[in-house]
Amino acid sequence: MALVTGANSGIGQTIAVAMAQAGAHVIAAGRSSCAETVALTKGEELRIEMSDPMAAQEVFAARRIDILVNNAGTIRRSKALDVTEKDWDDVMDLNLKSVFFTAQAFAKAALPRGSGKIVNIASLLSFQGGVEVGAYTPAKHGVAGITKLLANELAAHGINVNAIAPGYIETPNTRPLHQDATRAEAIRARIPAGRWGRPEDIAQAAVFLAAPASDYVNGAVLNVDGGWLAR
């Protein structure tokens, strides 16, 4: 059974569909309706407010969940000098604090059976500074750190913790970049693969990190970026 947070649309929905196609029973979790995802996966819905970092504490105690995909996230675009404390806290609570405590709750439930897969969604901004993403960049750096920390502590117990760092993917979150024709083309021109990524590119990587094929992969932050970071 796989729980995918932020599964109502975009990358999260596509990951949920790919997990279902690979044979998992999927729980689509989100603050808003995941009805479309449930229809696509023939799974079930969990309405949960992931901006509350402790919201998932009881989810894993109630039933066996073998795979956790920490995908829920948000972004606030503004210059660093304009970031407010509320912007900072909102982004950190959902993108970082929730990732840690949801993974912690999953791991506590998985330890007795000695198996489990955690896939965190990091970012290119786990490695780079970015522009006008003053809270998002520190949060995504933190996701990479959480992934490595938990892998160090959990790998010996049969729990794999890894992350995916998506490149520039065509989703609603990147719509402001798509709408800036000059910047969108500049981004595409730098990507060795010659195109923006699609949610399916991330979904297949998530399936790999959730499958037995990745049983000896621990603490990795897998760049799925068309070669952006290699450029």
Side-chain angles (χ1 to χ4, degrees):
M1 186 175 294
L3 173 68
V4 182
T5 70
N8 58 302
S9 64
I11 288 173
Q13 183 180 78
T14 308
I15 289 174
V17 170
M19 291 283 181
Q21 290 172 342
H25 178 79
V26 173
I27 303 172
R31 70 173 70 176
S32 56
S33 174
C34 295
E36 183 178 64
T37 306
V38 170
L40 290 169
T41 61
K42 298 184 174 15
E44 58 188 283
E45 180 180 46
L46 174 64
R47 294 292 285 272
I48 188 168
E49 182 50 74
M50 296 304 299
S51 62
D52 173 1
M54 312 307 288
Q57 291 302 293
E58 305 304 320
V59 171
F60 306 104
R63 62 199 306 184
R64 173 168 175 155
I65 297 173
D66 303 289
I67 301 160
L68 166 65
V69 181
N70 267 319
N71 168 75
T74 189
I75 191 166
R76 303 284 173 84
R77 298 186 184 276
S78 65
K79 294 183 182 301
L81 298 185
D82 295 328
V83 174
T84 67
E85 184 178 13
K86 185 176 189 310
D87 286 341
W88 179 273
D89 289 344
D90 288 349
V91 172
M92 286 293 176
D93 279 351
L94 181 54
N95 291 18
L96 185 62
K97 191 173 179 181
S98 180
V99 169
F100 178 83
F101 284 104
T102 302
Q104 181 193 69
F106 173 89
K108 286 179 178 179
L111 275 172
R113 63 177 181 263
S115 67
K117 301 273 189 168
I118 299 174
V119 181
N120 297 323
I121 302 302
S123 170
L124 293 184
L125 297 180
S126 298
F127 306 99
Q128 298 180 312
V131 176
E132 298 185 357
V133 280
Y136 186 86
T137 292
K140 290 300 185 178
H141 270 64
V143 170
I146 286 171
T147 299
K148 296 169 187 177
L149 164 73
L150 292 179
N152 286 339
E153 296 194 14
L154 298 175
H157 300 282
I159 301 171
N160 297 73
V161 187
N162 294 289
I164 298 169
Y168 285 92
I169 309 298
E170 295 176 352
T171 69
N173 267 350
T174 58
R175 187 171 292 121
L177 299 179
H178 302 159
Q179 292 172 343
D180 183 336
T182 300
R183 191 169 178 199
E185 175 54 25
I187 289 169
R188 188 206 61 76
R190 180 186 156 154
I191 300 170
R195 66 170 176 87
W196 281 58
R198 295 182 286 268
E200 291 79 9
D201 296 317
I202 308 306
Q204 292 307 314
V207 169
F208 164 68
L209 291 176
S214 65
D215 280 353
Y216 199 58
V217 180
N218 296 281
V221 183
L222 176 61
N223 308 325
V224 183
D225 63 357
W228 174 275
L229 287 176
R231 188 65 178 262

